[in-house]
Amino acid sequence: MERESQNGEYDGSVMTEEQMEILRKQIAIYVVISNNLRLLHHSLSSFNPLSSGMNQTGLGNFDQMVASSSGHRMSTRQRWNPTSTQLKILERIYEERRGTPDPRRVREIAKELSEHGQITEKNVYNWFQNRRARSKRKQPQTTTTMAGQADDAAVATEDEEERRSCEVSGGFESYDHILFPTPDLGNIFIH
Amino acid sequence: MERESQNGEYDGSVMTEEQMEILRKQIAIYVVISNNLRLLHHSLSSFNPLSSGMNQTGLGNFDQMVASSSGHRMSTRQRWNPTSTQLKILERIYEERRGTPDPRRVREIAKELSEHGQITEKNVYNWFQNRRARSKRKQPQTTTTMAGQADDAAVATEDEEERRSCEVSGGFESYDHILFPTPDLGNIFIH
DNA sequence: GGAGTATGAATGAAAG
DNA sequence: CTTTCATTCATACTCC
C-alpha cells in the first residue's frame, strides 16, 4: 500500500468509503489473526513446558501476556485446569450434544481425557455444568448501548448488536500474504 | 493453526527452538501490526466519524477499544472502568442490598448506569462479584500486610505433570468473548 | 520506567 | 440447573 497512513500523513485527503471498507476488512482480519496467534502461541507454550526455561524475554508484550501460562507462578495448582487438548475435546463433545452431560457419558469422557492429563469425572461434570450455564448467560449479552450524555465521562459509542458467526475466519486462507509478510511493516497494507 | 491435529495427537513432537524463535518473531510482528492498526484506526475515526455506523462488523470491536479514549483519561482504556458517578451508584446499591448481587436487577442497574458511561451487564455483574469477594477478604485478614499478592500457604500440590495450559482452545465458544466481546478486546492488543 | 497495588475479568468448584 | 464463591490472571494506575 502506498498510502502513508501510518505516519498520519494525509495531506488533507480523507479516505473514501471504499477505502474505509478495505481498511475495515483488514482490521477485521488482523483481529482474527492476532487472536489465532495468541491461541497458537499459548497452546505451544503448554505443549512445550520446557520452553519456559528459555527466553521469556525478547518479545516484550506478547510474551508477557502469554508468559503467565508458563511462568513459575503456577506452583500452587490446586484447581484442575484442562490442558489444551482436553479443552479441545471437551468443546467438540459439547458441540455434538449440547444437551445433558449424561452421567454415563461423563465417565467415558473422563476416561478418554485422562489420556491427555489428569482429570476426574467431577471435573468433567463441572465443566459441562459451567459450560452450559455460561453459554446461556451469554445470549442476553446485548451490549447496552451507551448514550453519551453524562455528567461524568460519557462515551458516545455506537454499538449495534451484530451477531454473525466467524464468517471472516472462513476466508482466512486467502490472506496468507498477510499472514506471513516480510517483517517490513511498511508493506502491511496490500495493493 | 493447523499444526495441531484434530485428535490432539501430539505425543513427543514439540517445536524446535528454531521454530519457536520463528514463531516468536512472527508474533512480534503482529504485535506491531496490530498496534499500528489500532493507532491508524484511531486516527481515521477522527477523520471519518461516520464510520461508526459500520464499524460493528461483527469482529472484534476496535471501536470499543478506541472509543475509550474519549472517556475520563486520555489513556486508551481496554478494560472497563467505572466512572466516578457509576461507582458511586454502584456503591450505593451495594450498601442497600449487601448480600444480593441482583441476578435480575443487574440489567436494570446496567441500564441506569449506561446513562453515565459505557457499561455492560457483565461489567455490573463482575463488579458485584468482586466487590463482595474482596470486602470479605479484607475483614478476616486485617492488617495482613501483603494482602492479595502473597499467596500464603503454598499448597504445593502434586507438581509432577505441570499443566500450564490456560484458556487455550480449539473450540469456538472459548474465544467468543474475544471475537464478539463485550466491550473489551484487551486480550489481543498489548501495549 | 519498573515495582507494587487496585481491580476488572475468567473460570473451576460448590452451594442452593 | 442456577447462582454464588474462591482463586487467579491481566491490566491500569501510582509512586518512587
Side-chain angles (χ1 to χ4, degrees):
Chain A
M1 139 151 183
E2 59 303 308
R3 277 194 300 275
E4 303 293 324
S5 312
Q6 310 221 8
N7 308 329
E9 291 270 306
Y10 286 87
D11 38 43
S13 61
V14 172
M15 278 194 132
T16 65
E17 282 301 292
E18 198 174 312
Q19 287 172 317
M20 280 297 287
E21 197 45 45
I22 292 173
L23 211 217
R24 275 190 208 103
K25 286 197 175 138
Q26 290 175 339
I27 290 174
I29 291 161
Y30 279 114
V31 170
V32 178
I33 289 172
S34 298
N35 191 44
N36 283 338
L37 278 170
R38 184 180 64 82
L39 293 172
L40 211 206
H41 187 77
H42 215 138
S43 56
L44 283 173
S45 295
S46 57
F47 279 127
N48 189 2
L50 294 175
S51 67
S52 60
M54 71 188 250
N55 58 355
Q56 290 298 357
T57 61
L59 290 185
N61 296 331
F62 215 98
D63 267 313
Q64 229 163 6
M65 172 179 64
V66 176
S68 52
S69 63
S70 49
H72 346 295
R73 196 81 188 83
M74 333 270 288
S75 51
T76 62
R77 173 159 318 294
Q78 48 189 34
R79 151 174 126 164
W80 170 73
N81 226 356
T83 65
S84 56
T85 303
Q86 286 175 333
L87 222 189
K88 187 154 43 180
I89 296 173
L90 284 169
E91 286 287 355
R92 195 185 56 214
I93 295 171
Y94 176 77
E95 286 298 323
E96 289 173 2
R97 318 209 226 290
R98 210 166 280 249
T100 316
D102 190 329
R104 190 188 72 81
R105 179 95 173 117
V106 167
R107 193 174 196 83
E108 290 180 16
I109 296 172
K111 188 82 155 63
E112 181 186 351
L113 291 184
S114 65
E115 305 285 323
H116 305 285
Q118 223 164 37
I119 195 171
T120 67
E121 294 178 38
K122 184 76 173 174
N123 294 141
V124 175
Y125 178 75
N126 283 333
W127 189 89
F128 278 98
Q129 289 284 94
N130 285 314
R131 187 67 180 74
R132 224 169 316 110
R134 284 171 177 141
S135 79
K136 188 201 293 189
R137 185 173 8 189
K138 221 172 61 151
Q139 299 310 321
Q141 191 68 191
T142 314
T143 56
T144 55
T145 62
M146 42 299 297
Q149 225 297 356
D151 33 289
D152 237 320
V155 182
T157 311
E158 272 289 337
D159 202 354
E160 334 171 347
E161 178 65 291
E162 277 265 350
R163 204 110 288 187
R164 60 189 63 165
S165 296
C166 326
E167 41 195 320
V168 171
S169 46
F172 200 67
E173 300 80 289
S174 50
Y175 293 95
D176 279 354
H177 59 293
I178 303 178
L179 233 185
F180 303 102
T182 59
D184 182 2
L185 295 180
N187 288 350
I188 295 173
F189 300 102
I190 28 256
H191 4 337
Chain B
M1 291 70 164
E2 74 293 330
R3 70 178 334 287
E4 199 169 355
S5 49
Q6 285 82 336
N7 40 27
E9 285 288 72
Y10 233 3
D11 18 333
S13 68
V14 167
M15 273 197 138
T16 65
E17 290 293 292
E18 197 174 311
Q19 288 172 316
M20 282 296 285
E21 200 44 44
I22 292 172
L23 212 215
R24 283 174 196 286
K25 285 198 172 128
Q26 291 177 337
I27 290 173
I29 291 165
Y30 284 114
V31 169
V32 178
I33 290 172
S34 297
N35 202 38
N36 284 339
L37 277 169
R38 183 176 61 82
L39 294 173
L40 211 206
H41 187 75
H42 195 354
S43 56
L44 280 176
S45 295
S46 51
F47 278 119
N48 188 0
L50 293 177
S51 65
S52 57
M54 298 177 63
N55 54 29
Q56 220 58 29
T57 46
L59 282 168
N61 36 18
F62 260 70
D63 277 295
Q64 287 289 3
M65 179 175 55
V66 173
S68 52
S69 60
S70 52
H72 267 184
R73 294 154 200 122
M74 292 287 294
S75 60
T76 59
R77 192 177 316 162
Q78 308 174 56
R79 112 180 158 176
W80 170 75
N81 220 3
T83 65
S84 57
T85 303
Q86 286 176 331
L87 223 184
K88 191 156 45 179
I89 296 174
L90 284 170
E91 286 289 355
R92 180 170 53 76
I93 296 172
Y94 177 76
E95 286 300 322
E96 290 174 1
R97 292 194 216 284
R98 187 164 302 238
T100 314
D102 304 350
R104 70 283 178 183
R105 193 163 300 208
V106 165
R107 191 173 197 88
E108 293 179 12
I109 297 172
K111 189 80 157 68
E112 180 186 349
L113 292 183
S114 68
E115 301 292 322
H116 305 287
Q118 238 176 28
I119 198 170
T120 67
E121 295 176 39
K122 184 80 173 174
N123 294 141
V124 176
Y125 177 77
N126 284 334
W127 189 88
F128 279 99
Q129 288 282 127
N130 286 314
R131 186 70 177 76
R132 237 172 320 121
R134 281 164 181 148
S135 79
K136 187 189 293 181
R137 191 180 302 174
K138 275 295 204 291
Q139 295 309 321
Q141 289 195 353
T142 318
T143 68
T144 27
T145 50
M146 69 301 156
Q149 283 306 326
D151 43 2
D152 42 354
V155 185
T157 49
E158 75 297 320
D159 236 43
E160 17 71 322
E161 239 268 280
E162 265 247 308
R163 267 179 300 307
R164 56 249 316 188
S165 70
C166 268
E167 63 266 34
V168 184
S169 83
F172 319 92
E173 270 284 331
S174 316
Y175 50 82
D176 268 0
H177 64 291
I178 298 179
L179 282 179
F180 307 99
T182 70
D184 206 299
L185 234 196
N187 289 350
I188 293 178
F189 300 95
I190 22 275
H191 301 294

